[in-house]
Amino acid sequence: MSSSVRPTTIALATVGALATGFLAYAFYFDHRRRTDPEFRKALKRESRRIAKAAKEEAEAQGAQQKRAIRQAVDDRQEEGFPTTVEDKESFFMSMVGQGESLCQNEAMHLEAALCFYSALKVYPQPSDLVAIYDKTCPKPVIDILAEMVAYDGSMPLSGLGGGSGSDAGGSSGAIDD
Protein backbone atom coordinates (compact mmCIF):
# COMPACT_ATOMS: atom_id res chain seq x y z
CA MET A 1 0.00 0.00 0.00
CA SER A 2 1.24 3.37 -0.87
CA SER A 3 0.47 6.29 1.31
CA SER A 4 -0.25 9.31 -0.88
CA VAL A 5 -1.13 12.71 0.41
CA ARG A 6 -4.57 13.83 -0.61
CA PRO A 7 -5.11 17.22 -2.28
CA THR A 8 -7.53 18.26 0.46
CA THR A 9 -4.83 17.66 3.08
CA ILE A 10 -2.42 19.87 1.14
CA ALA A 11 -5.08 22.57 0.79
CA LEU A 12 -5.91 22.48 4.50
CA ALA A 13 -2.23 22.66 5.45
CA THR A 14 -1.74 25.63 3.14
CA VAL A 15 -4.76 27.47 4.52
CA GLY A 16 -3.62 26.71 8.05
CA ALA A 17 -0.12 28.04 7.35
CA LEU A 18 -1.51 31.22 5.78
CA ALA A 19 -3.89 31.80 8.70
CA THR A 20 -1.06 31.24 11.18
CA GLY A 21 1.14 33.68 9.28
CA PHE A 22 -1.60 36.30 9.20
CA LEU A 23 -2.27 35.96 12.92
CA ALA A 24 1.46 36.18 13.69
CA TYR A 25 1.71 39.40 11.66
CA ALA A 26 -1.38 40.82 13.39
CA PHE A 27 0.18 40.15 16.81
CA TYR A 28 3.49 41.64 15.69
CA PHE A 29 1.78 44.75 14.29
CA ASP A 30 -0.28 45.22 17.45
CA HIS A 31 2.79 44.77 19.68
CA ARG A 32 4.78 47.27 17.63
CA ARG A 33 1.88 49.75 17.61
CA ARG A 34 1.63 49.59 21.37
CA THR A 35 5.35 49.75 22.23
CA ASP A 36 7.08 51.78 19.48
CA PRO A 37 6.38 55.56 19.68
CA GLU A 38 7.97 56.21 16.26
CA PHE A 39 5.73 53.59 14.66
CA ARG A 40 2.66 55.23 16.24
CA LYS A 41 3.77 58.63 14.92
CA ALA A 42 4.27 57.19 11.46
CA LEU A 43 0.78 55.67 11.56
CA LYS A 44 -0.72 59.02 12.63
CA ARG A 45 1.16 60.89 9.88
CA GLU A 46 -0.09 58.42 7.30
CA SER A 47 -3.64 58.73 8.59
CA ARG A 48 -3.47 62.54 8.42
CA ARG A 49 -1.99 62.43 4.93
CA ILE A 50 -4.81 60.18 3.72
CA ALA A 51 -7.46 62.40 5.37
CA LYS A 52 -5.94 65.51 3.79
CA ALA A 53 -5.89 63.90 0.36
CA ALA A 54 -9.53 62.83 0.73
CA LYS A 55 -10.51 66.36 1.78
CA GLU A 56 -8.72 67.91 -1.19
CA GLU A 57 -10.35 65.43 -3.54
CA ALA A 58 -13.80 66.21 -2.10
CA GLU A 59 -13.19 69.95 -2.53
CA ALA A 60 -12.06 69.46 -6.12
CA GLN A 61 -15.10 67.32 -6.84
CA GLY A 62 -17.39 69.97 -5.31
CA ALA A 63 -15.81 72.68 -7.46
CA GLN A 64 -16.20 70.50 -10.54
CA GLN A 65 -19.87 69.90 -9.72
CA LYS A 66 -20.45 73.65 -9.33
CA ARG A 67 -18.90 74.24 -12.75
CA ALA A 68 -21.08 71.51 -14.24
CA ILE A 69 -24.20 73.02 -12.64
CA ARG A 70 -23.40 76.50 -13.95
CA GLN A 71 -22.66 75.17 -17.41
CA ALA A 72 -25.92 73.20 -17.45
CA VAL A 73 -27.94 76.25 -16.37
CA ASP A 74 -26.24 78.45 -18.96
CA ASP A 75 -26.88 75.88 -21.70
CA ARG A 76 -30.53 75.52 -20.71
CA GLN A 77 -31.02 79.29 -20.68
CA GLU A 78 -29.43 79.56 -24.13
CA GLU A 79 -31.91 76.97 -25.43
CA GLY A 80 -34.73 79.15 -24.17
CA PHE A 81 -38.09 78.33 -22.65
CA PRO A 82 -41.56 78.15 -24.23
CA THR A 83 -43.66 81.31 -24.27
CA THR A 84 -47.23 80.22 -25.05
CA VAL A 85 -49.42 78.73 -22.35
CA GLU A 86 -49.94 75.45 -24.22
CA ASP A 87 -46.24 75.05 -24.92
CA LYS A 88 -45.38 75.84 -21.31
CA GLU A 89 -47.85 73.24 -20.07
CA SER A 90 -46.55 70.45 -22.30
CA PHE A 91 -42.93 71.46 -21.60
CA PHE A 92 -43.62 71.45 -17.86
CA MET A 93 -45.21 67.99 -17.95
CA SER A 94 -42.39 66.50 -20.03
CA MET A 95 -39.67 68.02 -17.82
CA VAL A 96 -41.30 66.82 -14.60
CA GLY A 97 -41.74 63.33 -16.07
CA GLN A 98 -38.12 63.19 -17.20
CA GLY A 99 -36.93 64.52 -13.85
CA GLU A 100 -38.90 61.93 -11.90
CA SER A 101 -37.52 59.09 -14.00
CA LEU A 102 -33.95 60.41 -13.74
CA CYS A 103 -34.20 60.79 -9.94
CA GLN A 104 -34.16 57.04 -9.56
CA ASN A 105 -30.58 56.83 -10.84
CA GLU A 106 -27.98 58.45 -8.56
CA ALA A 107 -25.64 59.04 -11.49
CA MET A 108 -28.29 61.18 -13.17
CA HIS A 109 -29.07 63.60 -10.31
CA LEU A 110 -27.66 66.61 -12.18
CA GLU A 111 -29.82 65.86 -15.22
CA ALA A 112 -32.88 65.31 -12.98
CA ALA A 113 -32.29 68.64 -11.23
CA LEU A 114 -31.91 70.33 -14.61
CA CYS A 115 -35.29 68.95 -15.69
CA PHE A 116 -36.90 70.17 -12.47
CA TYR A 117 -35.19 73.55 -12.91
CA SER A 118 -36.62 73.84 -16.43
CA ALA A 119 -40.09 72.97 -15.16
CA LEU A 120 -39.68 75.53 -12.39
CA LYS A 121 -38.79 78.25 -14.91
CA VAL A 122 -42.12 77.88 -16.76
CA TYR A 123 -44.38 77.20 -13.75
CA PRO A 124 -46.56 80.19 -12.80
CA GLN A 125 -46.15 79.68 -9.01
CA PRO A 126 -42.55 78.52 -8.50
CA SER A 127 -42.76 78.68 -4.69
CA ASP A 128 -45.59 76.13 -4.68
CA LEU A 129 -43.62 73.84 -6.96
CA VAL A 130 -40.56 74.13 -4.71
CA ALA A 131 -42.67 72.92 -1.77
CA ILE A 132 -43.71 69.89 -3.82
CA TYR A 133 -40.12 69.21 -4.87
CA ASP A 134 -39.00 69.35 -1.22
CA LYS A 135 -41.48 66.61 -0.34
CA THR A 136 -40.97 64.31 -3.32
CA CYS A 137 -37.37 64.60 -4.56
CA PRO A 138 -34.23 63.10 -3.01
CA LYS A 139 -32.09 65.54 -1.03
CA PRO A 140 -29.11 65.48 -3.45
CA VAL A 141 -31.41 66.54 -6.29
CA ILE A 142 -32.91 69.32 -4.14
CA ASP A 143 -29.41 70.53 -3.24
CA ILE A 144 -28.39 70.68 -6.91
CA LEU A 145 -31.68 72.43 -7.78
CA ALA A 146 -31.02 74.99 -5.02
CA GLU A 147 -27.59 75.69 -6.53
CA MET A 148 -29.19 76.14 -9.95
CA VAL A 149 -31.79 78.57 -8.64
CA ALA A 150 -29.17 80.49 -6.67
CA TYR A 151 -26.96 80.74 -9.76
CA ASP A 152 -29.87 81.82 -11.97
CA GLY A 153 -31.01 84.58 -9.63
CA SER A 154 -34.00 85.53 -11.82
CA MET A 155 -36.52 83.48 -9.82
CA PRO A 156 -37.84 85.15 -6.66
CA LEU A 157 -37.80 82.09 -4.39
CA SER A 158 -37.16 81.51 -0.74
CA GLY A 159 -36.98 78.32 1.24
CA LEU A 160 -35.42 76.06 -1.37
CA GLY A 161 -33.22 73.47 0.28
CA GLY A 162 -35.37 72.52 3.25
CA GLY A 163 -33.85 74.49 6.11
CA SER A 164 -30.17 74.03 5.34
CA GLY A 165 -29.27 77.69 5.63
CA SER A 166 -31.81 78.73 3.01
CA ASP A 167 -33.04 81.79 4.91
CA ALA A 168 -29.78 83.68 4.43
CA GLY A 169 -29.37 82.52 0.85
CA GLY A 170 -32.94 83.29 -0.15
CA SER A 171 -33.03 86.80 1.29
CA SER A 172 -29.61 87.83 -0.04
CA GLY A 173 -30.59 86.81 -3.58
CA ALA A 174 -33.65 89.07 -3.46
CA ILE A 175 -31.68 92.06 -2.15
CA ASP A 176 -28.82 91.89 -4.69
CA ASP A 177 -30.98 92.48 -7.77
Side-chain angles (χ1 to χ4, degrees), residues 1 8 24 34 36 43 48 56 58 60 117 125 135-137 151 166:
M1 289 205 200
T8 56
R34 290 178 187 224
D36 188 358
L43 287 175
R48 279 183 285 208
E56 289 173 355
Y117 166 79
Q125 297 291 329
K135 294 175 184 172
T136 59
C137 294
Y151 176 68
S166 59

Side-chain angles (χ1 to χ4, degrees), residues 90-134:
S90 65
F91 181 76
F92 171 80
M93 294 305 289
S94 72
M95 288 292 109
V96 169
Q98 285 179 10
E100 287 175 351
S101 64
L102 292 172
C103 270
Q104 307 307 318
N105 185 354
E106 288 184 24
M108 303 297 282
H109 280 175
L110 177 64
E111 290 79 3
L114 188 60
C115 289
F116 289 135
Y117 166 79
S118 298
L120 192 64
K121 287 289 282 188
V122 298
Y123 197 72
Q125 297 291 329
S127 296
D128 295 342
L129 189 57
V130 167
I132 294 169
Y133 286 163
D134 275 337

